[in-house]
C-alpha cells in the first residue's frame, strides 16, 4: 500500500514538473518575441560621395585634417542632414567605438588612403589630399550641412568634438549593445532633433530603398 502511494506521489510530482516546464517555456517564448527588435532603417553606402565629402572637409581645413576630427565632422554633418532632409549624406553605418561614432566603410578609405586610386597621403594622424574633391558628387544640401558643421567646429578641441559626437544615439547604442555596433539611423536623427514626421519619413525612405535593392533582377 505504501509503495502504491509513493508511485502516485511520484506521478503527481512528474505531472507538476511537466506543467511547470511548459509554463516556463511559454513565458520565455513570449519574452523573446516581445523583445525582437524591429528591422533598422538602412541606406545604401555611396562611396564616391564619401570620397568627395572627405576631400571637401580636408580642403575646408586648409588642405589637411586629423583623421579623428574628419570622422567627427562627417558624423555631425550626417546627423544634421538626416534630421533636416530625411537622408544621410553617404549612407555609411556608424558604429560605437571608444572615441565616438566611426563610419565603417569610410574608415576603410581613410586607413588605405585610396578608393579607385590614391586620394590621400598620411602624415602621422593627418590626411593630406592628393586630388581635389568632385563637388558634382555632392548635392547642394550635402554641402550646406558640411559647411555648417565645419564652421561650427573649426577651432574646437578634440575633447569638445568628442563630447558632441557622444550624443544620445551613441550612448543609447553603447548602453544597450556595447562597442562595435551600428548606431540606428533613426536614433541618429532623433539626436539631431528630427521631428516625429521626419522620423516616419526616414523610415519610409529606408523601406523603399531596401525594396529597390532587394527587387528581382530582369536578367
Amino acid at each position: 500500500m505504501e509503495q502504491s502511494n509513493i508511485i502516485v506521489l511520484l506521478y503527481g510530482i512528474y505531472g507538476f514538473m511537466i506543467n511547470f516546464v511548459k509554463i516556463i517555456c511559454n513565458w520565455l517564448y513570449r519574452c523573446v518575441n516581445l523583445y525582437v527588435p524591429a528591422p533598422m532603417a538602412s541606406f545604401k553606402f555611396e562611396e564616391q560621395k564619401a570620397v568627395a565629402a572627405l576631400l571637401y572637409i580636408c580642403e575646408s581645413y586648409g588642405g589637411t585634417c586629423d583623421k579623428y576630427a574628419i570622422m567627427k565632422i562627417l558624423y555631425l554633418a550626417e546627423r544634421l542632414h538626416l534630421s533636416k532632409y530625411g537622408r544621410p549624406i553617404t549612407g555609411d553605418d556608424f558604429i560605437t567605438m571608444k572615441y565616438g561614432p566611426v563610419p565603417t566603410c569610410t574608415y576603410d578609405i581613410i586607413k588605405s588612403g585610396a578608393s579607385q586610386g590614391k586620394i590621400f597621403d598620411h602624415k602621422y594622424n593627418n590626411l593630406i589630399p592628393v586630388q581635389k574633391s568632385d563637388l558634382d558628387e555632392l548635392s547642394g544640401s550635402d554641402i550646406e550641412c558640411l559647411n555648417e558643421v565645419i564652421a561650427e567646429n573649426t577651432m574646437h578641441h578634440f575633447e569638445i568634438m568628442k563630447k558632441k559626437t557622444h550624443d544620445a544615439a551613441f550612448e543609447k547604442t553603447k548602453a544597450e549593445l556595447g562597442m562595435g555596433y551600428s548606431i540606428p539611423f533613426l536614433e541618429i536623427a532623433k539626436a539631431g532633433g528630427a521631428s516625429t514626421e521626419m522620423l516616419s519619413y526616414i523610415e519610409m525612405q529606408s523601406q523603399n530603398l531596401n525594396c529597390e535593392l532587394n527587387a528581382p533582377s530582369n536578367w
Side-chain angles (χ1 to χ4, degrees), residues 1 19 111 140 145 159 177 182 191-192 210:
M1 187 70 180
N19 287 329
K111 284 193 301 182
C145 290
E159 288 299 324
L177 299 174
S182 294
N210 287 333

Side-chain angles (χ1 to χ4, degrees), residues 22-36:
K22 285 181 179 178
I23 290 170
I24 294 297
C25 288
N26 286 333
W27 178 78
L28 288 173
Y29 176 80
R30 289 174 183 172
C31 287
V32 168
N33 280 275
L34 181 64
Y35 292 104
V36 169

Side-chain angles (χ1 to χ4, degrees), residues 30-70:
R30 289 174 183 172
C31 287
V32 168
N33 280 275
L34 181 64
Y35 292 104
V36 169
M40 288 200 306
S42 60
F43 293 87
K44 180 183 177 183
F45 174 61
E46 298 187 59
E47 184 174 344
Q48 292 311 304
K49 290 193 76 170
V51 170
L54 292 174
L55 291 169
Y56 185 77
I57 294 169
C58 282
E59 290 164 3
S60 300
Y61 276 93
T64 183
C65 190
D66 176 86
K67 69 178 182 180
Y68 297 108
I70 203 170

Side-chain angles (χ1 to χ4, degrees), residues 55 58 63-65 109-114 118-131:
L55 291 169
C58 282
T64 183
C65 190
I109 297 172
I110 291 171
K111 284 193 301 182
S112 65
K118 189 173 183 180
I119 57 172
F120 291 117
D121 279 329
H122 292 85
K123 186 174 182 180
Y124 305 110
N125 286 328
N126 291 326
L127 303 177
I128 304 169
V130 297
Q131 58 177 271

